[in-house]
Amino acid sequence: MNVYVDPVAQASEYQQLLLGLLGLDDPAGVQAGTLAEARRLFDAAGPELRTRPEPKEWSVFECFAHIVDAEIVYSGRYRWILAHDKPDLPGYDQDLWVDALHADGQTSPAELFSIFEPLRAANIALWHRTPLELRARYGIHRERGPESYDLSFKIIAGHDRFHLDQARRTLEQVRPGG
């Protein structure tokens, strides 16, 4: 799937795209499988791990780095939503984060995995221990409006699927003979 929906200008379409990728699957289960899938992609990429298919497109490494960045951002959002009444949820420019924090070998695969694994585990544990009625609490995303904890957690599961698929397509493009 090579679909680009602007998460700011097309907020509703963006949310629907990611929720559609999740479908009826358990968001915690989907998220629990992301680390293993990322490791498989990194192993498969080998020397092409950091190769971009086009100058403005992300490498396999950068696709996962973005998933890690999103996990960091959403970790805070989940907690603000659950602890505060209608907190402000700032947006961030994903391309700036990838370029500023992960380009040119600034971050190693081991560092990405060491950040992601415990953070994702903590977020899944938070989800499981949060009563259903509290999952409806929401914050005000500066670019997309109200987003509940429930919606945010489900969006991240779809987001994982979107960017893992992007990484698979990237690998097909950059692999010699691909």
Side-chain angles (χ1 to χ4, degrees):
M1 170 194 343
N2 195 6
V3 175
Y4 178 76
V5 176
D6 187 306
V8 177
Q10 299 171 290
S12 179
E13 293 89 344
Y14 174 74
Q15 290 173 339
Q16 291 309 308
L17 170 69
L18 298 181
L19 292 173
L21 291 172
L22 173 61
L24 298 176
D25 294 336
D26 171 37
V30 170
Q31 290 185 40
T34 297
L35 180 65
E37 181 60 24
R39 288 186 190 280
R40 281 191 290 277
L41 284 165
F42 274 45
D43 289 345
E48 305 303 329
L49 181 64
R50 293 181 188 265
T51 303
R52 287 182 168 191
E54 297 291 333
K56 297 279 185 188
E57 294 179 13
W58 290 341
S59 66
V60 170
F61 181 88
E62 291 165 326
C63 289
F64 183 64
H66 170 62
I67 290 173
V68 175
D69 290 341
E71 193 70 13
I72 292 167
V73 169
Y74 273 82
S75 293
R77 287 181 183 170
Y78 299 153
R79 286 152 180 83
W80 284 316
I81 289 169
L82 291 172
H84 298 268
D85 289 330
K86 301 176 189 147
D88 179 49
L89 304 174
Y92 71 105
D93 185 317
Q94 63 187 18
D95 292 311
L96 287 176
W97 280 49
V98 167
D99 290 343
L101 304 174
H102 307 294
D104 302 323
Q106 293 168 306
T107 311
S108 71
E111 182 181 352
L112 282 184
F113 291 127
S114 72
I115 293 166
F116 184 77
E117 187 170 17
L119 197 53
R120 176 55 63 93
N123 289 332
I124 291 172
L126 178 64
W127 173 258
H128 285 301
R129 73 174 177 267
T130 300
L132 291 177
E133 65 274 8
L134 293 182
R135 292 180 186 175
R137 290 181 58 87
Y138 66 93
I140 308 300
H141 192 289
R142 288 184 194 168
E143 299 162 341
R144 296 192 296 261
E147 286 192 358
S148 69
Y149 174 50
D150 183 70
L151 175 62
S152 297
F153 195 79
K154 290 174 179 176
I155 281 174
I156 283 298
H159 183 266
D160 284 1
R161 284 186 166 167
F162 182 88
H163 289 291
L164 289 171
D165 186 57
Q166 178 186 12
R168 283 188 283 278
R169 288 191 319 272
T170 295
L171 185 55
E172 290 172 6
Q173 291 175 311
V174 301
R175 201 179 261 155

